[in-house]
Amino acid sequence: MASAQISIGTGGLRKVTLRHASGASAEVYLWGATLTSYRDPTGKENIFVSPAAIFDGKKAIRGGIPLVFPQFGQPDKAMPQHGFARVSDWAVSGFYANGRAVCATFALSDNEATRAKWPHAFALEYLVKLSEDSLTTRLRVMNTGDSPFGFNALQHTYIRIPDVQKVSVRGLKDLSFQDKVTGAGPVSEPRELVDVPSFTDRVYAGARIGELDVSVEEGDVTHSRLKFSARLCASPSGAPVRSRPCDAVVWNPYEEASPGDLPPPAFKEFVCVEPGLVASAHELAPGCAVDVEQVLLP
Ligand code: TA6
């Protein structure tokens, strides 16, 4: 039987737990609408959360799928790194279940605090859809104001793996990327399999309309398959009118860049493979919306 339940989680923060009849489950904290767990029917945990993650309702949860909006990085110092979405209290805006999936939606819109940092009217909707064979997460950005705004948006997914030194990411060949560690780029990725043998921070610019299929592999084993997509919608709740290329970020800090809430050797247990609109500036017209979606297949 599918279910959706609100409870008190770590640090006294509220969370939603989705359970599917197949045994699959997911957990999403209302703090930042941060998904912190996705277990498939075998019980395998597909998402990494740092053992030192802080659940205090002040700091972004280290791990899971933090949501990045309206900025990627911190070009605007008036806003936190990666924007305010992941350090805001979201509301549960809906639950839905049918024979195939159980879903929850979460909402965040502009308020006095966000407008003080970023003077635009917006609404975010985060959809989490759990089914027997996959987890779909969709971040929808809506311009509810009367003037266009520039933004970036991304799902900062921490994929759990046994050892980052042994995995590679497939699906990025021929995409142009900026290497934020070396400063090189943009250069074209020549490899079918991109390994992550050291501190890695790369922004791959989407080049293809439609889905970007990526997989995290270790020899013959595929740990995760991910389908990234981005779409423009003519109205906040309207059907997508046009697909757009989805960018992908690959990150692992290794020991040298591990932040305090990610004490080594925790870096070994994940690779971040992140769908978003971050490789260039994006503008959203009033009354329009854009989706950044990932389908995670364990
Ligand atoms: O997605 C990669 C990245 O932008 C890196 O540059 C690094 O800053 C990482 O995000 C983590 O950022 P955070 O603010 O969560 O420590």
Side-chain angles (χ1 to χ4, degrees):
M1 177 66 188
S3 69
Q5 180 189 20
I6 294 182
S7 62
I8 301 300
T10 307
L13 300 181
R14 288 173 300 155
K15 68 177 180 180
V16 168
T17 301
L18 298 179
R19 290 188 179 85
H20 188 269
S22 63
S25 67
E27 288 189 352
V28 186
Y29 277 80
L30 297 192
W31 177 245
T34 309
L35 186 141
T36 54
S37 174
Y38 163 45
R39 290 182 181 276
D40 59 39
T42 69
K44 173 193 167 197
E45 177 57 74
N46 295 275
I47 295 293
F48 169 87
V49 174
S50 170
I54 296 168
F55 290 74
D56 64 359
K58 298 186 182 80
K59 185 170 172 52
I61 295 170
R62 175 65 61 192
I65 308 180
L67 300 177
V68 173
F69 177 84
Q71 68 177 359
F72 180 58
Q74 201 176 18
D76 180 347
K77 300 297 182 205
M79 275 193 278
Q81 154 97 336
H82 291 340
F84 43 66
R86 65 176 184 170
V87 288
S88 295
D89 261 323
W90 290 55
V92 181
S93 52
F95 287 126
Y96 173 79
N98 62 19
R100 275 190 42 76
V102 54
C103 307
T105 53
F106 304 83
L108 176 73
S109 54
D110 61 288
N111 55 51
E112 200 175 322
T114 66
R115 289 190 294 269
K117 296 187 178 86
W118 192 65
H120 298 286
F122 71 90
L124 300 181
E125 179 190 79
Y126 190 50
L127 165 71
V128 177
K129 181 167 81 171
L130 176 69
S131 65
E132 179 173 4
D133 53 7
S134 66
L135 173 81
T136 298
T137 56
R138 184 194 74 196
L139 175 61
R140 174 162 288 183
V141 177
M142 299 167 252
N143 184 341
T144 54
D146 51 16
S147 58
F149 60 62
F151 75 99
N152 290 122
L154 170 124
Q155 295 194 51
H156 200 297
T157 309
Y158 286 71
I159 298 289
R160 176 177 284 280
I161 47 171
D163 186 345
V164 69
Q165 293 161 306
K166 297 178 179 172
V167 302
S168 295
V169 180
R170 182 188 299 276
L172 302 170
K173 186 174 188 305
D174 299 331
L175 293 184
S176 170
F177 71 90
Q178 195 69 39
D179 189 321
K180 291 169 63 176
V181 175
T182 65
V187 290
S188 177
E189 178 56 71
R191 297 172 293 173
E192 287 289 350
L193 285 173
V194 175
D195 59 357
V196 190
S198 60
F199 173 25
T200 300
D201 192 356
R202 297 177 160 201
V203 181
Y204 286 86
R208 298 183 279 269
I209 293 291
E211 277 184 351
L212 176 60
D213 287 5
V214 172
S215 55
V216 178
E217 304 183 7
E218 182 175 347
D220 297 338
V221 174
T222 297
H223 291 298
S224 292
R225 289 169 295 148
L226 299 122
K227 294 179 181 292
F228 295 161
S229 58
R231 293 178 293 273
L232 180 66
C233 310
S235 68
S237 56
V241 291
R242 160 158 94 249
S243 172
R244 48 198 319 178
C246 188
D247 306 328
V249 176
V250 178
W251 177 68
N252 188 291
Y254 273 75
E255 184 155 0
E256 65 185 272
S258 281
D261 53 1
L262 188 69
F267 68 87
K268 288 187 175 178
E269 297 176 21
F270 73 90
V271 60
C272 280
V273 188
E274 314 157 23
L277 296 171
V278 292
S280 57
H282 286 266
E283 187 172 86
L284 194 58
C288 288
V290 70
D291 289 347
V292 173
E293 181 175 286
Q294 74 177 2
V295 180
L296 201 168
L297 301 115

